[in-house]
Amino acid sequence: ETGVTQTPRHLVMGMTNKKSLKCEQHLGHNAMYWYKQSAKKPLELMFVYNFKEQTENNSVPSRFSPECPNSSHLFLHLHTLQPEDSALYLCASSQGGRWRTGANVLTFGAGSRLTVL
Amino acid sequence: AQSVAQPEDQVNVAEGNPLTVKCTYSVSGNPYLFWYVQYPNRGLQFLLKYITGDNLVKGSYGFEAEFNKSQTSFHLKKPSALVSDSALYFCAGDKLVFGAGTILRVKS
């Protein structure tokens, strides 16, 4: 275990469903991230939260809605997804405050494998 | 904006042979560069990073990477590959942009 826990590990949903992905870290980090991993494509940074404030939304469709109630928890709410949204969604955390300098090392969770039917 | 590229989808190497996984970068100024590894059904794990200083960076599990400014490269290397090194390797840069990954297969 890396210290970043993601649930559920696997999720199958229809296009009209509403579901949520959860991420939890107890590393004392203050920055949390959502990435989308699709085969043979670069990891896509979706959202960044730094000290609970959203600091990056990388042109992500509104059918993905993040929530960060505190520095230890991060959610990704999903609704009316499309089949092309099927992917592995990775949560990561790092020391906060300096993420824009790009020097922070990320600790990743194992990911949530999402399949949209 | 910074970007990184991994020109090889897959690298095959025999156990005991040296391995190289390639990464090139595009950035203005001094780059921050990282290597991560992903084993099956696991998240990415940090291997090493270059911020400044020595061009040869040593990391976990015997891996090292050489920063080459003239060639804008940051190739990952290991002198003697193990079967257990088989995994997906990602190069990353400033603002945490990642490459597409390179599958490393080490055969016994």
Side-chain angles (χ1 to χ4, degrees):
Chain A
E1 290 297 328
T2 64
V4 178
T5 303
Q6 290 188 242
T7 55
R9 293 292 307 275
H10 300 274
L11 177 63
V12 179
M13 58 187 290
M15 290 190 286
T16 59
N17 291 158
K18 289 185 179 182
K19 298 286 185 182
S20 296
L21 306 180
K22 178 182 177 182
C23 177
E24 183 174 358
Q25 60 90 8
H26 296 287
L27 299 170
H29 291 165
N30 288 300
M32 297 188 77
Y33 312 76
W34 280 117
Y35 277 90
K36 176 182 179 182
Q37 182 178 9
S38 303
K40 297 187 177 180
K41 295 174 68 175
L43 265 66
E44 299 174 47
L45 179 63
M46 300 175 71
F47 302 103
V48 180
Y49 279 82
N50 201 11
F51 291 92
K52 299 188 298 178
E53 297 294 324
Q54 188 180 123
T55 55
E56 185 86 4
N57 177 337
N58 213 15
S59 301
V60 180
S62 60
R63 58 186 183 270
F64 295 91
S65 175
E67 178 189 1
C68 188
N70 55 61
S71 292
S72 298
H73 294 86
L74 183 65
F75 295 88
L76 188 62
H77 303 300
L78 317 169
H79 62 98
T80 59
L81 295 190
Q82 304 299 312
E84 60 264 29
D85 296 322
S86 299
L88 182 67
Y89 288 84
L90 294 168
C91 174
S93 68
S94 75
Q95 295 295 329
R98 291 179 61 232
W99 85 270
R100 281 195 176 272
T101 70
N104 293 318
V105 172
L106 300 188
T107 301
F108 283 84
S112 292
R113 173 72 62 186
L114 173 66
T115 302
V116 181
L117 301 176
Chain B
Q2 186 180 64
S3 65
V4 294
Q6 296 179 244
E8 302 157 316
D9 288 341
Q10 183 167 319
V11 171
N12 298 311
V13 64
E15 187 175 31
N17 283 1
L19 69 88
T20 298
V21 183
K22 296 180 180 178
C23 173
T24 58
Y25 66 89
S26 173
V27 66
S28 56
N30 295 319
Y32 298 147
L33 296 164
F34 305 78
W35 276 101
Y36 289 80
V37 60
Q38 185 179 32
Y39 298 102
N41 301 314
R42 305 282 293 276
L44 280 69
Q45 297 177 34
F46 169 74
L47 278 179
L48 51 81
K49 69 178 180 181
Y50 172 83
I51 303 296
T52 186
D54 290 340
N55 290 341
L56 186 63
V57 180
K58 294 188 182 296
S60 307
Y61 312 119
F63 284 94
E64 58 188 27
E66 185 173 9
F67 173 69
N68 188 318
K69 190 170 185 177
S70 63
Q71 296 184 7
T72 61
S73 67
F74 188 59
H75 300 332
L76 181 70
K77 299 181 180 183
K78 187 173 182 180
S80 179
L82 300 172
V83 173
S84 57
D85 292 330
S86 299
L88 180 59
Y89 289 81
F90 287 93
C91 182
D94 189 21
K95 291 197 176 182
L96 303 168
V97 293
F98 281 78
T102 299
I103 297 170
L104 173 66
R105 295 201 192 279
V106 181
K107 296 185 178 180
S108 58

